[in-house]
Amino acid sequence: MIRKETVSIPFSVALVVALGAITATAHLGNNFTPYLIGGLIDLFGFSPLQMGVWSMVELLAYAATMLFIAPHVVRLSPRRLALVAGVLIGAAQFSSSLLDSFIPLLVTRMACGLGFGLANTALNLTAARTDSPTRALSIGLAVQTIVYTLINLALPVVGTHHGTPGMFTMLAILAVLFTIAGGSLLPDRPVAQHLQAPVQWNELKSDGRIVLTAISLFSFGSLALWPFIERAAHEIGISAVTYGRYQSIATLACAVSNTVFGILAPRIPRRRSLPVALLICGLSCAALTLISNEAGFAIALIVFNVSWLIAYPLILSVAYQIDAGGRLAVLCSSAWIVNMAAGSLVTGAIAEWLGNYVLVGPLGLISCVGAFLLLRPLVHSRVGSGG
């Protein structure tokens, strides 16, 4: 067992800014890839399968970075990881704005994925240094969603006036600004200096495998549609700009829900909140591809965003209860990225085969139910509150 000394980082305005900025950096790719995919398809005529591969390469690089770093995380500085991430992401996104062929764009996706992996690792390590990782993650997501509300309004407009290269450039600038603003406020000392004993993986193996499998199943199904969600909206007559407005409303709703959840997290029993969040997330996934009218799609989009961003920190909170040092949480982040990559490839193949995304939504419902069934015994036996 790991025992932390009384050296937790206190919650403050600086910590909130840092968590929000680094969370926003770590998730720039998977949140705004749908706009880039739609733009690249329109600009260069790439196929859905090619875009599935394009998204998968970024996500696999993202996951591989965290998987490689995980055994060493307690000796790394969150601040330095975040600053290096900003440089890598900014350079890769700007380079993408200058390219016009598929293979070079794949290379820049790999570089972006590396940067996102470093940023997400810095986020998980910082959360591990607080007395409530669930609250830290939720606060970070709340700040991120406020920022993303504005980006969802601005990015499609930039795309309309300056094309896909303009969107790449905007994301490059944002990555650099976020890491300068927040990365410098992250803790500089490695986590290992604040632990009385190192993590022994054999102590975590059984329960750790359950959590990793559950988050893999959850992310594979629930995020399979995400890289193509703008295309799914386009299929029922929703333009990119209109979709951006709906997504901005969804991210604003997430800001409110994650702020409330972040405040209440230590007092909310997981055995009640986790099944509710997973079930609602699954149902909204199904609705996104089964509903064919604009109003229904918009409601499902908002519900999906809110429920996913509550379910994710709840699952990670179980990982932090098993391993307070954060290594299992980093592995979980790696696992969800790997499975999102697999899901994006499957979705690209389904769209190529059927010409639509109808089957992808029900897959999300099945995956969310499966994740809860795996986690239920562990949640009831080991952890009962928010943490």
Side-chain angles (χ1 to χ4, degrees):
M1 270 306 272
I2 294 177
R3 303 186 309 276
K4 279 202 286 190
E5 299 173 0
T6 57
V7 289
S8 298
I9 303 172
F11 284 92
S12 63
V13 173
L15 180 61
V16 169
V17 171
L19 288 169
I22 199 61
T23 303
T25 304
H27 300 144
L28 270 177
N30 46 289
N31 273 271
F32 299 108
T33 290
Y35 296 106
L36 299 176
I37 285 179
L40 289 171
I41 289 174
D42 291 339
L43 183 61
F44 300 121
F46 294 140
S47 70
L49 184 58
Q50 281 179 304
M51 289 293 90
V53 171
W54 186 80
S55 176
M56 183 186 69
V57 165
E58 176 184 281
L59 293 169
L60 288 178
Y62 192 155
T65 300
M66 290 185 290
L67 190 62
F68 178 78
I69 288 177
H72 315 288
V73 290
V74 294
R75 297 190 294 273
L76 298 176
S77 160
R79 183 185 302 171
R80 294 174 189 175
L81 287 174
L83 294 175
V84 172
V87 172
L88 276 172
I89 298 166
Q93 295 282 39
F94 182 73
S95 297
S96 296
S97 72
L98 306 175
L99 300 173
D100 59 4
S101 57
F102 187 66
I103 299 301
L105 282 167
L106 283 183
V107 175
T108 60
R109 285 306 92 192
M110 292 177 64
C112 263
L114 173 59
F116 293 138
L118 294 177
N120 208 327
T121 301
L123 171 64
N124 284 320
L125 292 182
T126 303
R129 292 273 296 275
T130 69
D131 59 1
S132 177
T134 310
R135 174 184 288 176
L137 292 172
S138 295
I139 288 174
L141 289 170
V143 176
Q144 169 196 283
T145 50
I146 293 171
V147 175
Y148 280 11
T149 299
L150 301 176
I151 297 175
N152 274 300
L153 290 171
L155 193 62
V157 176
V158 170
T160 299
H161 290 89
H162 303 285
T164 309
M167 291 193 288
F168 277 122
T169 302
M170 178 178 170
L171 293 174
I173 294 170
L174 289 173
V176 173
L177 290 178
F178 289 157
T179 50
I180 291 174
S184 58
L185 299 175
L186 294 176
D188 190 39
R189 288 179 292 178
V191 178
Q193 298 181 14
H194 304 278
L195 298 175
Q196 292 180 348
V199 178
Q200 296 297 322
W201 178 247
N202 57 4
E203 296 178 11
L204 314 175
K205 197 170 184 180
S206 177
D207 290 346
R209 187 187 296 117
I210 293 173
V211 177
L212 285 169
T213 304
I215 202 163
S216 297
L217 186 60
F218 168 65
S219 56
F220 173 80
S222 66
L223 293 175
L225 180 66
W226 184 254
F228 297 91
I229 196 165
E230 187 271 337
R231 291 287 93 184
H234 181 76
E235 281 195 349
I236 61 172
I238 300 174
S239 69
V241 172
T242 302
Y243 166 79
R245 291 171 183 162
Y246 289 141
Q247 183 60 27
S248 70
I249 295 171
T251 50
L252 187 59
C254 289
V256 174
S257 63
N258 276 104
T259 299
V260 173
F261 183 71
I263 294 170
L264 300 178
R267 297 187 292 275
I268 299 176
R270 283 190 202 88
R271 63 172 56 95
R272 296 177 183 175
S273 55
L274 188 55
V276 171
L278 286 171
L279 179 60
I280 293 175
C281 186
L283 290 171
S284 62
C285 280
L288 282 169
T289 61
L290 296 178
I291 291 176
S292 58
N293 65 82
E294 185 172 328
F297 182 92
I299 293 170
L301 182 67
I302 294 167
V303 173
F304 170 75
N305 276 266
V306 170
S307 59
W308 201 97
L309 289 178
I310 290 177
Y312 174 63
L314 279 171
I315 296 174
L316 273 193
S317 71
V318 180
Y320 280 113
Q321 286 285 335
I322 297 170
D323 170 20
R327 187 169 75 164
L328 181 58
V330 173
L331 288 173
C332 283
S333 293
S334 177
W336 82 258
I337 294 296
V338 167
N339 285 277
M340 182 181 177
S344 70
L345 185 62
V346 168
T347 300
I350 289 174
E352 192 93 359
W353 174 42
L354 294 179
N356 60 59
Y357 302 94
V358 172
L359 292 181
V360 182
L363 178 66
L365 174 58
I366 294 169
S367 73
C368 289
V369 172
F372 168 66
L373 292 177
L374 280 172
L375 286 171
R376 184 179 179 183
L378 184 59
V379 170
H380 279 264
S381 64
R382 289 195 63 146
V383 284
S385 62

